[in-house]
Amino acid sequence: MIRLLVVFGPLVLWSFLASGEMLDFDDRNTSDLCYLCACSLDKTYVDCSRRGLTDIPEGLGSEVKKLNISYNEISIFPPSINRFYNLNALDIRGNRLTELPANALQNLTTLEVLNLSKNYFETWLNLNPNEVFEPATHLKTLDLSHNKFKTMGNLANQELLISSSLEILILDHCQIDSIHGRSPLSGLINIRILSLNHNPLQRIHSLISPTLNSLFVNNCELSNINRNELTYLPSLVYLQMSHNYRLELSSSTYNLYSESLKFLDISYCNVLQPNLQGFPNLRKAVLNHNMVRFLGSNEFANNTKLEYLDLSYNNIGSLRSDTFRGLSKLKYLDLSWNEIAVMPEDSLLQMPSLTNLKLARNYLTRVGHLKSMSITVLDISSCEISAIGKDSLEGLQSLVDLDLSRNLLSYIPESISSNTLRYLNLNYNRISTVNNFTFFMLPRLTGLAVIGNRFTTIWKRSFFDSNVYLERLDLGDNMWRCDCADDGMFDFYDFITLEPNKKEESYNLICNSPANVIGQTWLEACYFIWNPSEKNPNIDSLIWFIIVMIITLSLCILLVNTIRRSMKRRLRNIQAERERQVEEARDRLRQLRIRAEQEALCNTPDPRDLIAPPSYDEALSMPKLNTSCHSLNETGTGKTRRKRGRRKTKSSGDLLEETERNGNVRTYDDMELAEPSGVDRQRRPRRNRRYGSHEIAELDTSPGARRRQIISEYVDDNVDSIVVEVEAELERPSRRTERSISTDDNLRHESDF
Ligand SMILES: *[C@@H]1O[C@H](CO)[C@@H](O)[C@H](O)[C@H]1NC(C)=O
Ligand SMILES: *[C@@H]1O[C@H](CO)[C@@H](O)[C@H](O)[C@H]1NC(C)=O
Ligand SMILES: *[C@@H]1O[C@H](CO)[C@@H](O)[C@H](O)[C@H]1NC(C)=O
Ligand SMILES: *[C@@H]1O[C@H](CO)[C@@H](O)[C@H](O)[C@H]1NC(C)=O
Ligand SMILES: *[C@@H]1O[C@H](CO)[C@@H](O)[C@H](O)[C@H]1NC(C)=O
Ligand SMILES: *[C@@H]1O[C@H](CO)[C@@H](O)[C@H](O)[C@H]1NC(C)=O
């Protein structure tokens, strides 16, 4: 319980919130059940599904009619369930049950539906099948699907499910591969429906039940049914065996017999021959997606009650004229998706009740002289029909709906006649002309469709002079030539689009020629010719034009404004960025200047350093320095440079080095010190000597030097504007630097050092 609370705390909270709508606040803690689960207002339905429960929470009892504890973690059938003694439906699917105690349903006398699917049952014995259902005297439906029983038998009667009330037993997906023993159904004296779908079953023998009405063995592995296998199911009416890929009703099972069977589904199997003779009471047979190649004489002679026969998606290539003899009640026959090339003329006469015949997608090349007094709907679409005889419909005396779409017809003979035909579908053929006489003999024609044909000349109203019931014309997707000047066109347009006898939507009528109106509707193309008084654009279209122009204009303005605004924003951003950079540069300059000044203060000459520098001659005799003092400066970071500078003031060795460097290399500092008029070189080192080493060090670290360094940094970055700014900034403290950065050459010269 603690684990339950910890793990499912949030769930509990959720269910608390969820059930808040369904419950009064006061009731909430009186019953844990409705606190954890969702109860209906009158508490007859309690939904505890998917809450991670291992047991049923406390609370409630007799009032509950429907209890859903599916998809929890229950591994032991909860004994506390017997307090719900008025329970009707118990859904405990998706738990972890492996067994049912013999007294599991002890108090559940009113239980009708028990769903135990998706549990972990493996053996029938663990169900206590002999006793457990005994108390549940009203149990009608038991669902044990998705368990792993593997077999079904009645091992010395111990595995026998015993329930006198059970009617529906569902054992789908139970891995059952055999049914054995003396009928495992013998304990279920009222069983009506047994479902064994999706089991690896190969045979269904040993099923004995006087009451079984429906047997579902779809998606099994049945391969053969023996003659007797259905004889012990005398009440069997529905048999579904689809998707048994090896199953056939071969001649060895010729006499498979069931007097009671009315509905047989054996689609998606391996049937080579229908062999339905053994089912004299069959009403509906579904045999599509099989391997039937031909239908012989009297194939269905004994199926006098058959009303519905689906043989589509087979390989039927030939039929006999007496194939369908005896099918006196057949109403629906589907032979589509076969390989029928010829339909024997009289074959349909054997079926006096046939009203609906589907022959779509066969290899018929012409509409023969089919004869049937009863057929009303005939589908011969998607065949290869290229010709239709003038009198080919005369034998079909009740035909109402004829589908000839998707064939190769290029011509409809004049005066094709039928007194009953109302709907004629000629879509997607190759017909290019019709005339006064084409539909002349179809007095009841109500709907005609010729979508996707090759008509160019616009039809005439006179074509339908005799078709007074015409309501619907589908003329789309043709290549109409729009001769607007021809009165006939306007007349016909009027005829088909004028309310209240409108027959076609005007947007389906598209011109394909002449070139200037391609793609326009008939009305668009011919508007001003048909309405000469409205030569000039009328006031309506003028207003429309103005409105459209205004909208377009304002849209343009809006667009331009947005673009301008965004560009401004971008410009402003760039500006701000630049200003920020300049400000930064200025800040850094200022800081550097301040620091340098401070350092300069700190580096006041130390008396000890005031040793007389070497004389000019001595200096000349000293070894030459290879690198310039600038490059020395630049190799170190700011910190080390500063340190070194400070150290220089203290050590005489350094001093020597420094003076020598200054003596031999004409540094920028020297240039700075030089007068514009040009002072000779030899005086300068002397002057340095006079100032002493600390002066020199100071020059390196002086604000001017730092500034120049920074300038060179920026120049390298090629930020001209900043350089200009910096120049301006530098003008103030020192005029000497101005000269130094006046040209790029000078700068590069400096930084190259
Ligand atoms: C709700 O529970 C509290 C204690 O948790 C108890 O004192 C109170 O009486 C309960 N309310 C009802 C209506 O039972
Ligand atoms: C029980 O709950 C599950 C999961 O919420 C649901 O799929 C199922 O239909 C419910 N059962 C019934 C009998 O309502
Ligand atoms: C069993 O059902 C009876 C009523 O049929 C009831 O009085 C009894 O309390 C139930 N037993 C349990 C354990 O709830
Ligand atoms: C029992 O539960 C399964 C899901 O596991 C469901 O498909 C089936 O319809 C349920 N049976 C009944 C009788 O409600
Ligand atoms: C035809 O049906 C009758 C019962 O109506 C039956 O006696 C007879 O055997 C069946 N014929 C065949 C060939 O199965
Ligand atoms: C078609 O019939 C109309 C009148 O119904 C007639 O004027 C026209 O000439 C006929 N056209 C042909 C080709 O017979």
Side-chain angles (χ1 to χ4, degrees):
M1 195 64 189
I2 286 167
R3 176 178 152 252
L4 196 145
L5 278 177
V6 168
V7 177
F8 296 95
L11 242 172
V12 168
L13 191 68
W14 175 82
S15 66
F16 170 79
L17 293 172
S19 58
E21 291 170 4
M22 305 169 78
L23 287 169
D24 295 331
F25 186 81
D26 308 274
D27 292 342
R28 233 172 250 160
N29 74 344
T30 56
S31 112
D32 282 331
L33 192 60
C34 288
Y35 182 79
L36 285 166
C37 306
C39 300
S40 68
L41 265 183
D42 56 4
K43 301 198 181 68
T44 53
Y45 177 53
V46 178
D47 183 357
C48 292
S49 61
R50 299 180 200 277
R51 280 165 171 77
L53 304 173
T54 53
D55 197 358
I56 302 178
E58 281 173 17
L60 296 188
S62 58
E63 56 269 64
V64 181
K65 293 250 161 66
K66 244 178 114 179
L67 179 61
N68 190 344
I69 44 173
S70 60
Y71 303 106
N72 281 296
E73 317 274 316
I74 297 168
S75 53
I76 293 168
F77 194 85
S80 58
I81 214 153
N82 59 14
R83 73 177 192 268
F84 303 102
Y85 48 83
N86 283 320
L87 208 57
N88 254 323
L90 175 59
D91 189 347
I92 192 168
R93 74 178 84 154
N95 279 286
R96 300 178 176 184
L97 299 177
T98 53
E99 53 185 293
L100 279 185
N103 61 356
L105 309 177
Q106 200 178 31
N107 235 13
L108 307 181
T109 48
T110 55
L111 190 66
E112 286 179 13
V113 182
L114 176 58
N115 200 335
L116 288 167
S117 75
K118 296 190 178 160
N119 275 287
Y120 295 169
F121 295 115
E122 286 185 6
T123 58
W124 290 97
L125 289 178
N126 284 350
L127 282 175
N128 284 303
N130 286 181
E131 308 104 59
V132 70
F133 301 109
E134 200 180 328
T137 50
H138 287 85
L139 188 66
K140 294 218 156 52
T141 306
L142 174 62
D143 193 335
L144 281 165
S145 56
H146 290 277
N147 283 290
K148 294 189 183 120
F149 290 113
K150 300 214 163 66
T151 66
M152 186 180 180
N154 65 345
L155 185 69
N157 284 347
Q158 283 175 8
E159 291 186 336
L160 215 54
L161 276 178
I162 296 179
S163 165
S164 55
S165 57
L166 196 69
E167 291 181 359
I168 303 173
L169 176 59
I170 302 170
L171 289 167
D172 301 345
H173 292 277
C174 281
Q175 303 179 6
I176 295 171
D177 57 11
S178 70
I179 301 174
H180 56 82
R182 277 190 55 250
S183 182
L185 298 181
S186 53
L188 304 170
I189 55 172
N190 269 310
I191 185 85
R192 287 169 42 76
I193 299 175
L194 174 62
S195 180
L196 285 161
N197 299 326
H198 293 277
N199 281 294
L201 262 182
Q202 293 181 358
R203 302 187 61 189
I204 51 170
H205 63 130
S206 322
L207 284 183
I208 301 169
S209 166
T211 55
L212 195 70
N213 169 279
S214 307
L215 177 60
F216 304 128
V217 279
N218 302 306
N219 294 85
C220 294
E221 290 174 11
L222 300 177
S223 60
N224 231 318
I225 307 185
N226 284 345
R227 172 184 162 75
N228 297 334
E229 285 182 10
L230 301 178
T231 40
Y232 304 111
L233 299 170
S235 303
L236 192 67
V237 172
Y238 293 86
L239 176 58
Q240 288 189 9
M241 308 192 284
S242 73
H243 293 94
N244 285 283
Y245 297 109
R246 289 187 291 157
L247 180 63
E248 47 182 313
L249 296 174
S250 61
S251 41
S252 67
T253 62
Y254 186 78
N255 290 323
L256 181 64
Y257 187 79
S258 170
E259 185 135 16
S260 55
L261 198 69
K262 289 184 181 167
F263 302 90
L264 173 66
D265 181 351
I266 186 171
S267 56
Y268 294 92
C269 292
N270 193 31
V271 175
L272 299 170
Q273 210 53 41
N275 287 329
L276 301 175
Q277 287 88 343
F279 308 117
N281 283 305
L282 204 59
R283 303 287 153 86
K284 177 171 176 176
V286 179
L287 286 139
N288 61 49
H289 294 92
N290 274 294
M291 303 288 182
V292 182
R293 303 184 71 91
F294 68 94
L295 296 174
S297 298
N298 297 314
E299 192 74 56
F300 307 98
N302 233 12
N303 306 114
T304 50
K305 300 200 173 143
L306 199 61
E307 290 172 9
Y308 181 108
L309 177 58
D310 181 355
L311 282 163
S312 59
Y313 295 91
N314 276 284
N315 303 325
I316 301 169
S318 71
L319 299 167
R320 302 284 180 91
S321 54
D322 54 0
T323 290
F324 301 111
R325 179 174 293 163
L327 288 170
S328 55
K329 295 263 173 67
L330 197 71
K331 290 186 185 135
Y332 178 99
L333 175 59
D334 191 344
L335 288 166
S336 51
W337 289 83
N338 276 291
E339 293 163 13
I340 301 167
V342 181
M343 199 70 192
E345 277 182 26
D346 298 335
S347 56
L348 302 179
L349 283 174
Q350 320 282 340
M351 301 174 278
S353 305
L354 188 68
T355 57
N356 204 326
L357 175 61
K358 290 193 186 299
L359 286 167
R361 195 75 187 220
N362 275 290
Y363 299 155
L364 299 168
T365 52
R366 59 192 316 274
V367 183
H369 297 91
L370 291 176
K371 289 198 192 103
S372 167
M373 313 293 275
S374 54
I375 288 179
T376 57
V377 181
L378 177 58
D379 179 358
I380 16 182
S381 60
S382 302
C383 291
E384 289 165 14
I385 296 170
S386 55
I388 174 169
K390 188 175 179 168
D391 50 356
S392 48
L393 303 185
E394 275 169 15
L396 299 165
Q397 297 192 357
S398 305
L399 191 63
V400 169
D401 186 335
L402 176 60
D403 187 348
L404 279 165
S405 62
R406 295 176 201 275
N407 277 296
L408 308 174
L409 290 170
S410 54
Y411 168 74
I412 304 290
E414 289 179 4
S415 307
I416 185 166
S417 73
S418 167
N419 280 327
T420 51
L421 191 70
R422 283 202 260 157
Y423 304 99
L424 180 56
N425 186 342
L426 293 167
N427 292 340
Y428 305 104
N429 276 283
R430 301 170 177 181
I431 308 163
S432 54
T433 55
V434 288
N435 61 32
N436 272 1
F437 306 108
T438 310
F439 309 113
F440 184 65
M441 300 287 272
L442 301 173
R444 307 230 158 225
L445 195 64
T446 310
L448 174 66
V450 291
I451 296 168
N453 276 280
R454 308 219 169 140
F455 292 108
T456 51
T457 314
I458 286 169
W459 291 9
K460 304 254 183 306
R461 183 197 288 255
S462 62
F463 294 174
F464 299 102
D465 276 351
S466 60
N467 311 110
V468 292
Y469 300 109
L470 192 69
E471 284 172 2
R472 180 84 212 151
L473 258 181
D474 292 304
L475 300 169
D477 202 4
N478 277 289
M479 304 200 191
W480 301 111
R481 192 179 61 243
C482 294
D483 289 327
C484 301
D486 183 356
D487 285 346
M489 179 172 175
F490 177 66
D491 186 49
F492 187 64
Y493 181 78
D494 234 28
F495 173 63
I496 55 178
T497 61
L498 206 64
E499 300 284 1
N501 296 317
K502 186 166 152 180
K503 298 168 185 69
E504 169 67 303
E505 303 297 338
S506 56
Y507 52 74
N508 285 330
L509 302 167
I510 308 287
C511 303
N512 192 59
S513 62
N516 60 327
V517 294
I518 284 179
Q520 294 182 6
T521 64
W522 293 9
L523 184 62
E524 282 166 0
C526 302
Y527 188 82
F528 294 118
I529 296 167
W530 291 347
N531 301 282
S533 56
E534 300 181 32
K535 265 258 148 48
N536 303 319
N538 60 12
I539 198 87
D540 258 17
S541 58
L542 202 74
I543 288 172
W544 272 113
F545 181 75
I546 291 170
I547 289 175
V548 168
M549 283 311 285
I550 288 173
I551 290 173
T552 324
L553 252 172
S554 42
L555 275 178
C556 281
I557 291 169
L558 205 78
L559 198 75
V560 167
N561 268 343
T562 353
I563 291 173
R564 201 188 290 164
R565 222 174 296 142
S566 78
M567 277 174 70
K568 258 188 203 163
R569 207 178 305 134
R570 272 179 60 191
L571 268 175
R572 228 180 292 134
N573 284 347
I574 291 169
Q575 198 83 25
E577 179 64 16
R578 279 200 186 160
E579 272 166 22
R580 200 180 54 76
Q581 283 177 359
V582 168
E583 196 56 40
E584 262 178 35
R586 251 181 230 164
D587 274 359
R588 280 171 68 183
L589 268 174
R590 219 170 286 138
Q591 279 172 15
L592 283 170
R593 202 185 309 140
I594 290 165
R595 210 180 298 149
E597 273 163 13
Q598 282 172 353
E599 273 175 28
L601 271 177
C602 293
N603 294 340
T604 44
D606 184 339
R608 280 172 296 175
D609 287 341
L610 292 175
I611 309 161
S615 72
Y616 181 59
D617 291 343
E618 281 165 356
L620 281 182
S621 67
M622 284 174 180
K624 280 194 177 184
L625 188 64
N626 288 335
T627 46
S628 76
C629 62
H630 257 287
S631 64
L632 276 177
N633 271 352
E634 270 156 22
T635 50
T637 62
K639 244 184 209 168
T640 56
R641 224 179 296 152
R642 217 174 297 140
K643 257 188 215 159
R644 208 187 289 159
R646 207 169 280 147
R647 213 165 55 78
K648 272 176 216 153
T649 59
K650 284 169 188 163
S651 121
S652 57
D654 283 352
L655 175 78
L656 284 176
E657 201 181 291
E658 193 75 18
T659 47
E660 185 181 57
R661 238 187 294 147
N662 279 308
N664 286 301
V665 184
R666 190 167 189 252
T667 64
Y668 183 72
D669 290 11
D670 297 339
M671 274 175 69
E672 267 188 325
L673 292 168
E675 299 298 325
S677 54
V679 182
D680 76 34
R681 281 186 186 195
Q682 294 181 349
R683 267 185 62 199
R684 254 173 287 114
R686 200 167 281 156
R687 201 197 285 191
N688 279 349
R689 217 180 294 157
R690 222 186 301 140
Y691 286 133
S693 63
H694 67 278
E695 295 270 5
I696 295 156
E698 201 178 316
L699 273 174
D700 280 344
T701 54
S702 72
R706 294 287 174 94
R707 239 176 274 142
R708 281 189 298 279
Q709 240 168 294
I710 284 165
I711 291 156
S712 65
E713 268 170 47
Y714 277 100
V715 168
D716 284 336
D717 287 345
N718 276 334
V719 187
D720 293 342
S721 64
I722 293 170
V723 171
V724 173
E725 291 281 342
V726 173
E727 271 181 71
E729 172 71 14
L730 291 173
E731 258 173 27
R732 264 180 286 128
S734 159
R735 284 194 53 212
R736 283 182 301 159
T737 51
E738 187 186 339
R739 210 193 324 142
S740 69
I741 57 165
S742 55
T743 64
D744 269 10
D745 275 4
N746 253 346
L747 287 164
R748 211 153 286 142
H749 172 235
E750 186 196 44
S751 57
D752 284 347
F753 263 112

